Amino acid sequence: MSEIFLDIETTGLSFKDNHKIVEIACIETNELIPTKRIFHKIINPERNVPDEAFKIHGFSTDFLKDNPTFEQIADDFISFI
């Protein structure tokens, strides 16, 4: 059986506070053995990264600003999964 394991980093956990995804990482496995298919993107959340989030993942607002937005990578992500 094929599976995709997904990990994300965000600016926070509250949709109401407009928190966004800043990193998506996926790996495909077949019978729990990794295949060579991976997906990894750093994403511009188009908002400031709170200090609490920076302390967890280390991605600053300045670092993220030059990366694509989620809208720009969404089709590639959907194709992968």
Side-chain angles (χ1 to χ4, degrees), residues 5 7 10-11 17 24 27-28 41 45 47 56 71:
F5 291 83
D7 182 43
T10 67
T11 60
D17 291 333
I24 298 176
I27 184 168
E28 180 188 64
K41 297 289 181 186
R47 61 157 288 155
I56 293 170
E71 182 178 277

Side-chain angles (χ1 to χ4, degrees), residues 1-63:
M1 172 172 56
S2 291
E3 296 176 304
I4 294 176
F5 291 83
L6 166 72
D7 182 43
I8 63 170
E9 296 294 340
T10 67
T11 60
L13 300 176
S14 174
F15 175 78
K16 291 178 183 177
D17 291 333
N18 197 36
H19 288 290
K20 304 286 182 150
I21 295 172
V22 298
E23 181 182 34
I24 298 176
C26 300
I27 184 168
E28 180 188 64
T29 65
N30 188 359
E31 302 297 331
L32 297 179
I33 298 170
T35 68
K36 298 201 182 275
R37 289 190 67 229
I38 61 167
F39 181 89
H40 180 250
K41 297 289 181 186
I42 304 293
I43 300 167
N44 176 351
E46 301 181 290
R47 61 157 288 155
N48 289 333
V49 176
D51 289 338
E52 299 82 17
F54 176 77
K55 290 176 187 174
I56 293 170
H57 53 59
F59 297 134
S60 68
T61 301
D62 191 52
F63 171 76

